[in-house]
Amino acid sequence: MSQANEHADAAIIIPDEERSLDASNRLFPKEYDGHLKSLMIPREEILSRIQTLAKTLSKDYEGKRPVMLCVLKGACPVSQESCDNVLR
């Protein structure tokens, strides 16, 4: 079983109750300011999951040169963080 399959069920669970998270702790484009009622996932949770995914990708693609492509508007910060962590 590959590392990716081991972590496939390690989802971030979003509780039903609304959480008031500090806006300075955000990981979304500045253009979204004023459009979101509250943040659903704290920045630390997102970054932790990205780091876990990056470790898995680094191990699975060791010695290879994968091409990483960001195609969703607003996904650039997550994509950049992923690339940075894979390269570490």
Side-chain angles (χ1 to χ4, degrees), residues 48-75:
S48 173
R49 185 65 179 112
I50 289 171
Q51 290 169 352
T52 300
L53 177 62
K55 286 178 188 176
T56 301
L57 291 171
S58 291
K59 187 172 184 176
D60 287 353
Y61 289 93
E62 187 174 357
K64 299 177 184 170
R65 295 183 63 195
V67 175
M68 299 179 78
L69 176 66
C70 175
V71 295
L72 298 173
K73 179 181 178 182

Side-chain angles (χ1 to χ4, degrees), residues 10-14 19 21 25-28 39-54 75 77-79 81-82 85:
I12 295 174
I13 305 299
I14 302 172
R19 302 193 291 183
L21 300 174
N25 228 3
R26 66 175 184 251
L27 188 59
F28 60 88
L39 301 179
M40 297 171 66
I41 306 171
R43 184 176 192 272
E44 292 77 21
E45 284 183 54
I46 294 171
L47 292 177
S48 173
R49 185 65 179 112
I50 289 171
Q51 290 169 352
T52 300
L53 177 62
V78 172
S79 180
E81 190 70 32
S82 299
N85 277 279

Side-chain angles (χ1 to χ4, degrees), residues 3-38:
Q3 290 283 352
N5 290 335
E6 289 177 22
H7 297 290
D9 61 348
I12 295 174
I13 305 299
I14 302 172
D16 289 335
E17 67 275 357
E18 186 176 316
R19 302 193 291 183
S20 295
L21 300 174
D22 182 11
S24 66
N25 228 3
R26 66 175 184 251
L27 188 59
F28 60 88
K30 190 122 178 99
E31 295 83 26
Y32 290 10
D33 284 349
H35 296 283
L36 300 175
K37 183 177 178 182
S38 66

